[in-house]
Amino acid sequence: MENIQNRINCLRKELARHNNLYYDKNSPEISDSEYDSLVKELERLELENPLFASLNSPTQKVSGVASLSFERVKHSLPMLSLDNTYSQEETAKWYERVEKRLKNENIEFTIEPKIDGVSASLTYLNGALIIGATRGDGEIGEDITENIKAIQSIPHKLKINNPPAFFELRGEVYMNKTDFEKLNEDIIKADGQKFANPRNAASGSLRQKDAHITAERKLSFFAHSFGKIEGKQFQKQSEFLQFCKECGFVLQNDFKICYSLKEISDFMHVMSSRRDLLQYEIDGLVIKVNNLPFHNELGYTNKSPRWAIAFKFPAKQATTQLNKIRAQVGRTGIVTPSAILEPVALAGVTISHATLHNFEEIERLNVNEGDIVLIERAGDVIPKIVKVVKKEREGFFKPPHNCQSCGSEIVKESEGEVAYRCINPECPAQFRRHLIHFASRSAMDIDGFGSAVIDQLLERNKIKTLADIYNLTYNDFINLELFKEKKANNLVEAVVKSKRRPLSRLLFALGIRHIGEKSSEIIAKRFRNIEVLFNANVEEFTRIPEIGEVLALSLKKFFDNKTARRVVDALIAAGVSTTEPEAEQQHGTLFEGQLFVLTGELEHYTREQAGEIIKSFGGRVVSSVSKKTDYALAGADTGLKLEKAKKLNIKIINEQEFEELVKQ
Ligand code: IVH
């Protein structure tokens, strides 16, 4: 019994601490779902042990308090919270309870995003905004009128004739994802402490003593419910929202009226998959009975209405211990730190790794091995560390002095550069990474030639250069782990097949610094043959609109390098193709059947190159202007052709306009 009481007290204290971190400090240490499971545990213990129940327990109150730094405002009606569900099944149970209580099957429901922001109450007297307040403890909030007025999308006067005498609407103040990223970038530039998520950023920005700062932070507002209203009546939640729109508020597009559980479930599925595509963070959906007269019938519990439920999405953030920081060497020698975590469940999967980007990020986070960290996983991306919530070790993790693979010194190639590199061209870790890249799907696409195969072949000293891949035989493969006849034959075939990849793939596979898939394609289409690339100068590269100086210099450096020549020669000797086949109409039908005349000197292209582009979009270049000509592409120093084109009213475009057209 004593143990139970201790646990209850401990949970109450812990929850009060987390409430303070979340509502007042804007700096939570745990995710919403971790918080909710503490609440659930406390609720269960209190229910099973009524002796220890207390009205002061966090389970009986709306969380949050009004801080002393703002004037206090008493809400016209309490601002309640919502009960949460975490699954379709729990939501279905709520739905059935509502139907049963109302003894009615003709109930309409609304389903809206649950925006992860800060709730606020706005009071309009005869159409004029007079009070803006936070929720506080639900009874008393903070007066943040000036800050609320600084939010652009909140009207100071309702934009309707005959506004209600008293109108208190409630909603969520939030920050769009892009505005949040931008704000954090600015904060980092100013050496400040960045916000962990848009909700904290919105809360921090809203509760500024200086409303000018609030005005600078881009906040938005979304109306979702109301308090006391005099001089206007609504029958439905959807009517209320429509009225808000007429008054000048912006509504969310993702709102639906549903007439059955099936419709609700379908929309829940749709929104769960669209979550990451939205401009703002949502942590779930709110399902409400649309018919307002039913609200009174259903009534309220201590802290939430029975006519609404929040379906919460799996959390995106969780806390765990960072066990180790590993410094891995990539194929270009860049040493990238990554975090090995104590495995933790997050958004339906177990997470045991997180990216750390670079060593500057480690310094900024002030993170070290052993620290307790808040991690976040958005969409499919690898989780990242948001912040340290508890330091276990002094200072931050320093970059190692030597490459963990070859032992060479790790350096920053130039001051101002963020990345540390192992500059040993023979570093085995770099070569291993390069092999994986070379064989990967978007490079030479050697099916079955993944890291497991590569590791075994390296161990057996079967590959020392890229071209060695093409000397491998059936006998080299058949002895590998899990290889049988068929698999070995397939791999032989895949290696042979990869010899015929176009130049664009080979260029990408060679791993030239800064040259990605797209630029490899552009370069290959312009130069067609690797020998031309070996002889090209920087200017020839920069003439390509998409190739800037950095890329051009990198290409030049690569093709001037003797090792590159040796590598390519060995590949050629092994039978690897080094040309780009002519492809007709690669781009589509933008200029289908259109005739072009080229006149004057073009800045970025030779005549041939411009002709190629026109051809690839389905057009044709003709030498003289006639009535049939559709476009005259005019460069500098044009002559008679342009005069004639003007006379015949032919569409004349300059080089920039041409580029705009083909870019689309
Ligand atoms: S309706 C009785 N609708 O979620 C409360 N709330 O966890 C009626 N929230 O305090 C609120 N989006 O600040 C409602 N579409 C939405 C919402 C929403 C976010 C917030 C609201 C509330 C909290 C409850």
Side-chain angles (χ1 to χ4, degrees):
M1 214 51 177
E2 207 173 286
N3 268 349
I4 294 176
Q5 190 173 12
N6 278 347
R7 180 68 189 148
I8 287 179
N9 285 340
C10 175
L11 281 167
R12 284 179 185 161
K13 261 199 210 138
E14 197 53 11
L15 285 168
R17 192 173 76 84
H18 287 305
N19 280 339
N20 176 266
L21 284 167
Y22 185 91
Y23 288 104
D24 300 325
K25 304 248 160 57
N26 300 317
S27 184
E29 282 182 6
I30 57 174
S31 70
D32 284 5
S33 66
E34 286 166 319
Y35 175 88
D36 286 343
S37 58
L38 293 179
V39 174
K40 283 242 156 83
E41 185 187 347
L42 182 56
E43 272 173 355
R44 185 178 53 77
L45 289 176
E46 286 175 348
L47 204 71
E48 288 166 2
N49 305 281
L51 201 63
F52 303 134
S54 153
L55 275 179
N56 274 333
S57 169
T59 56
Q60 304 301 311
K61 297 188 299 188
V62 169
S63 316
V65 281
S67 99
L68 290 174
S69 32
F70 288 92
E71 293 292 319
R72 289 163 169 239
V73 185
K74 184 159 170 35
H75 299 303
S76 61
L77 290 169
M79 280 182 87
L80 300 179
S81 187
L82 288 169
D83 266 353
N84 296 329
T85 65
Y86 292 89
S87 65
Q88 295 271 353
E89 292 73 36
E90 284 177 84
T91 313
K93 277 194 190 135
W94 169 81
Y95 179 93
E96 281 154 17
R97 272 202 307 275
V98 168
E99 275 197 337
K100 203 165 150 199
R101 270 180 190 260
L102 292 176
K103 298 191 184 63
N104 192 330
E105 287 184 354
N106 296 321
I107 311 160
E108 284 178 24
F109 293 85
T110 59
I111 176 159
E112 311 165 11
K114 184 172 185 318
I115 296 200
D116 203 3
V118 189
S119 44
S121 141
L122 317 181
T123 303
Y124 288 85
L125 203 62
N126 296 318
L129 177 59
I130 54 153
I131 301 171
T134 64
R135 182 172 69 167
D137 65 1
E139 301 280 340
I140 293 171
E142 298 146 320
D143 184 342
I144 48 160
T145 310
E146 290 315 308
N147 304 43
I148 285 287
K149 283 185 173 168
I151 299 175
Q152 273 198 351
S153 57
I154 293 181
H156 292 194
K157 278 209 166 345
L158 298 181
K159 296 190 171 109
I160 45 160
N161 298 326
N162 303 321
F166 191 94
F167 185 56
E168 191 214 334
L169 88 156
R170 287 148 183 199
E172 212 69 5
V173 174
Y174 64 96
M175 193 177 279
N176 270 337
K177 289 176 189 169
T178 38
D179 294 327
F180 163 70
E181 298 294 344
K182 173 86 185 41
L183 172 63
N184 263 351
E185 272 169 31
D186 292 347
I187 289 177
I188 288 168
K189 269 187 216 145
D191 274 340
Q193 194 73 38
K194 67 176 188 171
F195 288 106
N197 53 45
R199 198 210 78 86
N200 295 344
S203 178
S205 306
L206 191 60
R207 293 166 74 201
Q208 291 286 334
K209 281 311 257 178
D210 179 356
H212 291 99
I213 301 181
T214 312
E216 278 167 21
R217 310 268 176 94
K218 292 216 173 76
L219 293 172
S220 308
F221 180 79
F222 151 64
H224 55 54
S225 51
F226 51 85
K228 191 169 96 175
I229 300 181
E230 278 172 8
K232 179 89 193 159
Q233 276 206 326
F234 302 107
Q235 289 301 309
K236 293 186 176 174
Q237 160 79 3
S238 47
E239 261 176 36
F240 157 72
L241 289 180
Q242 194 50 40
F243 179 73
C244 290
K245 189 174 177 188
E246 284 157 25
C247 289
F249 289 93
V250 186
L251 295 192
Q252 301 304 321
N253 293 328
D254 302 290
F255 164 87
K256 192 172 159 62
I257 300 178
C258 297
Y259 301 90
S260 67
L261 181 60
K262 163 97 178 53
E263 269 183 282
I264 294 175
S265 313
D266 287 350
F267 196 66
M268 279 161 73
H269 273 124
V270 172
M271 290 303 290
S272 302
S273 57
R274 287 198 48 212
R275 175 186 188 185
D276 289 320
L277 303 175
L278 300 180
Q279 275 300 305
Y280 40 82
E281 284 288 354
I282 66 174
D283 57 346
L285 298 167
V286 183
I287 305 152
K288 300 174 185 169
V289 170
N290 195 20
N291 324 72
L292 299 180
F294 288 153
H295 286 197
N296 285 340
E297 270 185 64
L298 287 163
Y300 298 81
T301 67
N302 277 352
K303 56 174 194 169
S304 48
R306 290 203 186 86
W307 45 262
I309 194 92
F311 165 65
K312 296 281 285 267
F313 292 145
K316 284 179 164 184
Q317 296 189 332
T319 41
T320 189
Q321 185 153 36
L322 192 168
N323 288 336
K324 196 164 172 44
I325 295 177
R326 222 174 27 193
Q328 280 174 307
V329 186
R331 83 183 143 84
T332 55
I334 292 182
V335 181
T336 314
S338 78
I340 301 174
L341 307 169
E342 189 58 32
V344 59
L346 181 55
V349 287
T350 304
I351 305 290
S352 49
H353 291 90
T355 51
L356 276 162
H357 302 295
N358 52 47
F359 289 97
E360 267 191 7
E361 169 94 347
I362 292 186
E363 183 174 350
R364 200 173 53 238
L365 288 165
N366 191 25
V367 65
N368 213 334
E369 292 179 334
D371 290 347
I372 307 293
V373 290
L374 180 71
I375 59 163
E376 178 176 273
R377 181 171 179 263
D380 285 328
V381 278
I382 314 164
K384 61 175 189 202
I385 293 180
V386 181
K387 64 173 187 172
V388 174
V389 292
K390 190 155 176 254
K391 272 213 84 54
E392 294 288 337
R393 193 173 296 174
E394 278 287 291
F396 58 90
F397 183 87
K398 308 283 182 325
H401 295 297
N402 299 92
C403 170
Q404 290 181 355
S405 170
C406 66
S408 307
E409 205 188 343
I410 284 176
V411 293
K412 269 193 184 182
E413 274 196 313
S414 60
E415 236 357 276
E417 193 173 341
V418 176
Y420 283 85
R421 283 170 191 282
C422 162
I423 47 169
N424 170 14
E426 278 159 15
C427 168
Q430 286 179 53
F431 182 55
R432 173 182 176 271
R433 288 273 168 172
H434 196 170
L435 282 170
I436 296 174
H437 168 75
F438 186 87
S440 67
R441 184 162 300 171
S442 34
M444 298 303 269
D445 193 11
I446 311 180
D447 197 17
F449 207 82
S451 57
V453 168
I454 290 171
D455 285 343
Q456 293 180 69
L457 292 168
L458 284 171
E459 240 168 60
R460 294 164 199 208
N461 269 334
K462 294 286 177 195
I463 339 178
K464 294 212 177 60
T465 69
L466 288 178
D468 287 345
I469 297 175
Y470 296 98
N471 297 327
L472 294 168
T473 63
Y474 174 89
N475 287 340
D476 295 318
F477 297 141
I478 193 67
N479 293 322
L480 302 181
E481 235 170 68
L482 300 177
F483 267 68
K484 290 213 175 96
E485 206 176 302
K486 183 150 186 264
K487 204 167 164 187
N489 275 325
N490 285 348
L491 195 46
V492 171
E493 212 174 285
V495 169
V496 172
K497 211 164 131 193
S498 78
K499 293 183 187 176
R500 297 196 298 271
R501 302 275 175 248
L503 175 63
S504 51
R505 298 296 199 97
L506 177 63
L507 281 183
F508 181 52
L510 286 171
I512 305 166
R513 207 161 159 204
H514 304 300
I515 306 296
E517 228 179 309
K518 189 85 201 116
S519 25
S520 302
E521 225 170 81
I522 294 166
I523 297 157
K525 296 236 153 73
R526 291 291 159 88
F527 291 88
R528 302 260 171 227
N529 190 317
I530 208 159
E531 296 311 324
V532 187
L533 283 162
F534 274 108
N535 294 319
N537 58 34
V538 173
E539 221 217 316
E540 282 169 88
F541 291 129
T542 48
R543 233 181 261 151
I544 307 173
E546 294 91 343
I547 306 294
E549 203 181 345
V550 174
L551 272 70
L553 288 173
S554 173
L555 285 163
K556 183 71 186 138
K557 190 170 170 196
F558 179 87
F559 287 107
D560 276 353
N561 184 304
K562 288 207 175 71
T563 317
R565 183 73 255 186
R566 231 183 308 126
V567 169
V568 171
D569 281 346
L571 288 170
I572 294 172
V576 173
S577 159
T578 51
T579 57
E580 185 75 8
E582 288 279 343
E584 286 194 3
Q585 286 231 11
Q586 292 128 0
H587 292 110
T589 53
L590 178 69
F591 301 143
E592 185 73 82
Q594 312 264 23
L595 298 187
F596 277 73
V597 164
L598 308 182
T599 167
E601 281 254 325
L602 296 173
E603 207 185 319
H604 293 135
Y605 314 91
T606 61
R607 291 264 172 122
E608 286 70 24
Q609 286 170 338
E612 283 280 343
I613 297 174
I614 292 166
K615 218 167 95 188
S616 74
F617 283 102
R620 198 149 59 87
V621 178
V622 287
S623 54
S624 57
V625 183
S626 76
K627 269 196 233 154
K628 286 191 195 150
T629 313
D630 298 285
Y631 286 98
L633 170 55
D637 300 329
T638 50
L640 281 176
K641 275 194 208 169
L642 187 66
E643 292 303 326
K644 193 168 175 195
K646 275 183 188 160
K647 260 193 209 145
L648 291 174
N649 248 341
I650 285 161
K651 194 168 168 59
I652 298 163
I653 53 171
N654 62 26
E655 192 167 344
Q656 202 186 341
E657 290 164 333
F658 175 71
E659 277 175 10
E660 285 301 327
L661 279 173
V662 297
K663 226 195 272 165
Q664 286 161 12

